[in-house]
Amino acid sequence: MGFLKEFKAFALKGNVMDMAVGVIIGGAFGKIVTSLVNDVIMPPIGLLVGGVDFSDLKLVIKKAVIEGGAEIAPAVTWNYGAFIQQVVDFTILAFCVFMMVKVMNKLMKKEEKKPAPAAPPAPSKEELLLTEIRDLLKEQKK
């Protein structure tokens, strides 16, 4: 039973839950960025460079072997277009994460800059003397 309790304590710690939420949101965010790159950014870039779809760019290293209309061995290709696509995806994703971290750091600095409440000033000599007199008078009345 000790093992199960230990695992439960580990799995329900705040850090583990925060990390799980981050991974899930990061996966969804990655899909958004992929769609942004594939569907919004790359088509105009492809049009600017002559209607090229980067994901289709490849270099055929060995052609497919076809006999009797059937493919016996597929072509061996070097898919550098897919690599370019992934580099663009990564660059945009990294930029977005950088901007989010930058905003979070700015918010954290604003929180840190709030001055702590000032400590009350020390009592003056007159106040100390009056306090002593008051205490002595209270003792005499007893």
Side-chain angles (χ1 to χ4, degrees):
M1 272 321 247
F3 178 77
L4 290 176
K5 285 182 182 179
E6 188 177 344
F7 177 73
K8 181 180 175 185
F10 167 76
L12 297 179
K13 276 186 183 176
N15 294 344
V16 173
M17 296 305 288
D18 291 344
M19 185 175 68
V21 169
V23 167
I24 292 167
I25 290 176
F29 186 68
K31 290 179 183 179
I32 291 170
V33 170
T34 299
S35 176
L36 173 70
V37 170
N38 293 340
D39 303 328
V40 177
I41 295 174
M42 292 310 283
I45 292 174
L47 186 62
L48 287 174
V49 295
V52 176
D53 181 6
F54 283 91
S55 59
D56 291 337
L57 294 176
K58 58 186 163 192
L59 176 67
V60 178
I61 299 172
K62 181 181 173 193
K63 294 186 178 193
V65 177
I66 301 174
E67 287 185 16
E71 185 178 57
I72 296 175
V76 177
T77 60
W78 187 33
N79 301 321
Y80 65 91
F83 177 74
I84 292 171
Q85 188 75 34
Q86 292 300 320
V87 168
V88 172
D89 283 355
F90 172 79
T91 303
I92 292 172
L93 183 62
F95 179 74
C96 291
V97 169
F98 168 75
M99 293 306 291
M100 287 188 330
V101 168
K102 189 172 175 107
V103 168
M104 290 301 294
N105 285 341
K106 191 177 250 187
L107 291 174
M108 296 297 276
K109 283 182 183 177
K110 282 183 181 179
E111 222 172 83
E112 289 174 4
K113 285 185 181 179
K114 290 182 182 177
S124 66
K125 288 184 181 182
E126 292 88 14
E127 289 174 320
L128 290 174
L129 182 60
L130 288 171
T131 304
E132 286 180 29
I133 293 171
R134 181 196 65 202
D135 293 342
L136 288 171
L137 288 173
K138 280 184 183 178
E139 285 180 23
Q140 285 181 353
K141 287 184 181 180
K142 290 182 183 181

